[in-house]
Amino acid sequence: MSGLPPSALPLRSRLALLVAVAVAVAVAACAVAAWFLVRAELISSLDDALRDNRVPTEQVIRQVRAGQCQAVPAEERESVPNPFRSTVRLVDRNGTGCMIFGDQPLPVGLEDVAVARGDRRQAIHSVRTEDGAGYRMLTRPLPGTDVAVSVARPLDEVERSLDTLALVLGAVALAGVLGSAGAGVALARAGLRPVDRLTDAVEHVARTEDLTVRIPVTGDDEVARLSRSFNSMTESLAASRDLQQQLIADAGHELRTPLTSLRTNIDLLVRSEHSGRSLPPEDRAALLASVQAQLAELAALVGDLQELSRSDAGPAGGPPEVVGLHEIVERAVQRVRLRSSSVFFRSSLDAWYVRVEPAALERAVVNVLDNAVKFSPPEGTVRVCLAAEGPAAGELLVRDDGPGVPTAELPYVFDRFWRSPSARGLPGSGLGLAIVARTVRQAGGRVELRPVAGGGMEAALRFP
């Protein structure tokens, strides 16, 4: 697994790795900052010690005036104060240095020469000898002379402390990284437990197609929102599947009636031909007319089922476009008038434009008009109104003079295959108003069927 790219690791491993890396970076930054802060404090303490360290000024001045600038003889070192193993050196204006205390020759820097020339009050810096030993050096002018005196102390005590501190900080950082990795794994497991439940539920649905699975939802975080969305999705899918099964069952029931009638009539005709006993001409004509009517009803039912089978994503006839609603209604009225000679139409259509799919809208309007014609009495009148002004501006109203629909049945008029008990004997599949409702909803509008004072029903369609 170590050779895999981060994107190929499981989510839990990636979270643990991210936590470990974040903690490692934070601990490393803190460790480095602590090391530099301690180093600065140690160097500052050493500088303070150098400032407080007083060299035997009188003896140094005496040696300088006598022309002597060399190390103090060994027998005199114990009598001359030399606290903290300090190394003392003199530097003249030319940059020539000589040792007073100590055996290690220290390099002369530009800062030291500047102090000897009087260009600087003092200089404090770090130097390295030829053998690699480190020293912290403080250079000051020597009063009454034209030379400067440098006092230096070895840095090994500081470096030892810093090395020890580096080991301690490294151990602490390593322990912190290991601890953070373990904590990251634990946090990843705890944080991803709801995701694991969601994954198990999705896999169960994919494996068994059981849409009754629900995920317990607690809290209001992103995982809870995802769980709610999953539950809503499964509920919608279950409802869609139930509707699909109901549609198949209803379609099978509706298809059984015309198919049974067709089979009976055709069997009678075939039996008549095989038996050699011809049917009376009037009975034969009635059977053929019945077969023709049943075929027309079957074709209409299949067409309605095809219309309802369209995806809810949008009509299959084409993209929505801006059309004149009054023009579509006028064409629909002309179509229905041709096959409904016993019913009169009275139209009042003002110009009104909507954004819809034209073919689907015209089919919906035709269905509404056919429904009004079916329930209108002979010599009845269907009134079609589309006003551009007033409280009903842009609303298509279709009114008939029929018996109307009982109030208790109004909530079901747009359901698939639903027909009023009083209209079971009339032709139709019970899909016309369902198609109207689907078309209007897809266009973003609303449709309503309401009783009218004085008798009859009024269909109201409004589009955005």
Side-chain angles (χ1 to χ4, degrees):
M1 184 176 291
S2 59
L4 295 176
S7 58
L9 295 175
L11 181 58
R12 183 178 292 105
S13 301
R14 276 185 280 170
L15 288 176
L17 179 62
L18 288 175
V19 171
V21 170
V23 173
V25 171
V27 171
C30 293
V32 171
W35 189 88
F36 277 103
L37 287 175
V38 172
R39 179 179 180 276
E41 288 296 326
L42 292 176
I43 295 296
S44 178
S45 299
L46 185 58
D47 293 344
D48 293 339
L50 287 174
R51 293 187 184 95
D52 296 338
N53 190 13
R54 300 298 179 182
V55 297
T57 307
E58 295 80 5
Q59 181 179 356
V60 174
I61 293 176
R62 178 165 44 83
Q63 287 184 261
V64 171
R65 289 177 177 173
Q68 299 175 353
C69 185
Q70 58 186 2
V72 178
E75 61 274 8
E76 297 184 12
R77 290 179 186 171
E78 296 181 358
S79 60
V80 177
N82 186 14
F84 308 111
R85 297 188 300 118
S86 298
T87 299
V88 182
R89 181 199 62 187
L90 295 180
V91 180
D92 60 13
R93 292 174 174 270
N94 298 323
T96 303
C98 61
M99 303 299 297
I100 301 297
F101 298 104
D103 299 326
Q104 288 286 348
L106 301 177
V108 178
L110 297 178
E111 302 94 331
D112 304 326
V113 177
V115 174
R117 293 177 178 176
D119 297 336
R120 298 180 60 175
R121 296 180 57 186
Q122 67 176 17
I124 185 167
H125 56 96
S126 299
V127 296
R128 292 278 176 182
T129 60
E130 294 180 357
D131 58 0
Y135 284 84
R136 190 68 176 175
M137 179 184 297
L138 173 64
T139 302
R140 289 177 174 173
L142 190 61
T145 65
D146 56 354
V147 297
V149 59
S150 299
V151 181
R153 285 186 56 186
L155 289 172
D156 54 354
E157 54 190 84
V158 175
E159 292 173 348
R160 283 195 301 271
S161 300
L162 292 177
D163 292 340
T164 303
L165 178 62
L167 292 176
V168 172
L169 292 177
V172 172
L174 180 60
V177 171
L178 295 178
S180 65
V185 172
L187 291 175
R189 288 179 178 175
L192 293 179
R193 192 170 293 116
V195 179
D196 292 337
R197 290 199 300 266
L198 180 60
T199 303
D200 295 338
V202 173
E203 292 176 348
H204 175 76
V205 171
R207 185 174 59 254
T208 64
E209 297 185 0
D210 181 12
L211 297 177
T212 62
V213 175
R214 298 294 181 269
I215 300 175
V217 180
T218 56
D220 196 25
D221 55 4
E222 288 79 3
V223 176
R225 291 169 53 193
L226 181 60
S227 300
R228 291 192 187 93
S229 300
F230 175 80
N231 291 338
S232 300
M233 181 190 68
T234 53
E235 290 177 1
S236 300
L237 289 175
S240 176
R241 187 168 66 180
D242 293 341
L243 288 175
Q244 183 182 24
Q245 293 174 350
Q246 183 65 34
L247 175 62
I248 294 174
D250 293 340
H253 176 75
E254 294 294 331
L255 288 169
R256 186 179 295 114
T257 300
L259 287 176
T260 302
S261 179
L262 279 172
R263 181 176 180 178
T264 301
N265 293 333
I266 293 175
D267 284 344
L268 288 175
L269 291 172
V270 171
R271 189 180 306 169
S272 172
E273 292 294 331
H274 287 173
S275 63
R277 290 182 297 177
S278 300
L279 293 172
E282 60 275 9
D283 293 341
R284 183 180 180 86
L287 285 177
L288 291 176
S290 177
V291 169
Q292 188 176 13
Q294 295 298 329
L295 286 175
E297 183 178 351
L298 187 61
L301 178 59
V302 172
D304 290 340
L305 288 174
Q306 289 178 338
E307 178 68 20
L308 283 175
S309 66
R310 291 181 180 180
S311 172
D312 289 337
E321 56 185 82
V322 176
V323 295
L325 179 59
H326 56 288
E327 297 175 353
I328 291 179
V329 173
E330 186 175 358
R331 288 199 301 268
V333 169
Q334 293 298 330
R335 288 174 55 184
V336 177
R337 180 183 283 121
L338 292 176
R339 58 176 182 259
S340 306
S341 57
S342 62
V343 177
F344 299 100
F345 286 87
R346 182 179 299 172
S347 302
S348 175
L349 305 176
D350 294 341
W352 192 265
Y353 295 89
V354 294
R355 180 181 294 275
V356 294
E357 196 278 304
L361 177 58
E362 184 170 344
R363 181 183 180 88
V365 175
V366 168
N367 286 352
V368 172
L369 295 174
D370 281 338
N371 188 75
V373 169
K374 182 169 63 175
F375 290 98
S376 294
E379 306 300 326
T381 302
V382 175
R383 298 168 181 83
V384 183
C385 178
L386 177 61
E389 297 180 356
E395 189 172 42
L396 175 62
L397 301 176
V398 178
R399 179 179 176 179
D400 62 66
D401 296 330
V405 178
T407 305
E409 298 177 3
L410 284 177
Y412 311 104
V413 293
F414 295 107
D415 292 346
R416 296 173 178 177
F417 297 105
W418 185 89
R419 282 187 289 179
S420 174
S422 60
R424 295 291 170 84
L426 297 176
S429 62
L431 295 176
L433 292 182
I435 294 174
V436 173
R438 188 191 67 89
T439 302
V440 174
R441 282 197 302 268
Q442 285 184 341
R446 59 178 177 83
V447 59
E448 180 184 4
L449 195 64
R450 57 203 178 199
V452 180
M457 296 296 295
E458 183 179 66
L461 288 76
R462 175 175 289 276
F463 299 90

